Amino acid sequence: MQDLGTLGGDFSQALEVNNRGQVVGRSTTANGDQHAFLWEKGRMRDLGTLPGGTFSGAQSINERGQVVGGGDAADGQEHGFLWQKGKFTDLGVLPGGNNHTVPIAINERGQVTGWDGYFSSPARAFLWDRGRLTDLGILGGSNSWGFDISDTGQVVGSANTADGAEHAFLWQR
């Protein structure tokens, strides 16, 4: 077991590693803020926050080194982000959604899935592809959550049915 350190605070959590040995997660900084990090070649790098934001956390990384996660933005809402080559792309929020985008997985084409909403409130699975968020729908209930995405853009997750049960789903174009 290897200690990856922190960004100066007393907490860090690694959430995913790719085949290149790059690790992403979240850590507290010396002043107590939570920031996304990328650890590689023995060094933890602070990825910062979305413009106007105060916190961030990284969730997933692909083999190209593209990182997805979430944090607050200047508008006060929690947005998902794609970080690549030192720059953030704000994934935005679903129109009519809950203003809380939670990216969970990224494939090798840079497509992202997750959900808009909190786990305790109505949530909608999404696909983000080249700047566009697509609502993946529901199975008759009020919630759906995207958990993983294949390199061909297939999304898997779970969704509530009309009777409140939770079922697995596969979404594809």
Side-chain angles (χ1 to χ4, degrees), residues 3-17:
D3 186 346
L4 303 184
T6 72
L7 293 173
D10 62 1
F11 166 82
S12 64
Q13 186 177 54
L15 296 173
E16 187 155 292
V17 59

Side-chain angles (χ1 to χ4, degrees), residues 145-156:
W145 303 274
F147 290 118
D148 205 5
I149 185 167
S150 73
D151 289 337
T152 60
Q154 295 173 303
V155 174
V156 295

Side-chain angles (χ1 to χ4, degrees), residues 59-151:
Q59 182 69 33
S60 186
I61 185 168
N62 65 14
E63 297 307 313
R64 296 168 52 195
Q66 295 174 302
V67 177
V68 294
D72 63 341
D75 63 5
Q77 299 174 15
E78 295 183 35
H79 292 217
F81 65 76
L82 168 66
W83 182 92
Q84 59 185 341
K85 298 179 183 173
K87 296 188 180 189
F88 280 102
T89 299
D90 186 335
L91 304 186
V93 294
L94 280 175
N98 288 307
N99 302 323
H100 179 80
T101 307
V102 182
I104 295 296
I106 184 169
N107 67 14
E108 296 312 310
R109 293 169 51 194
Q111 297 170 308
V112 178
T113 193
W115 60 86
D116 181 89
Y118 296 91
F119 234 100
S120 61
S121 66
R124 297 298 284 254
F126 69 79
L127 168 68
W128 182 88
D129 187 14
R130 292 173 275 167
R132 184 171 175 211
L133 272 175
T134 300
D135 184 335
L136 302 185
I138 53 175
L139 295 176
S142 59
N143 295 297
S144 62
W145 303 274
F147 290 118
D148 205 5
I149 185 167
S150 73
D151 289 337

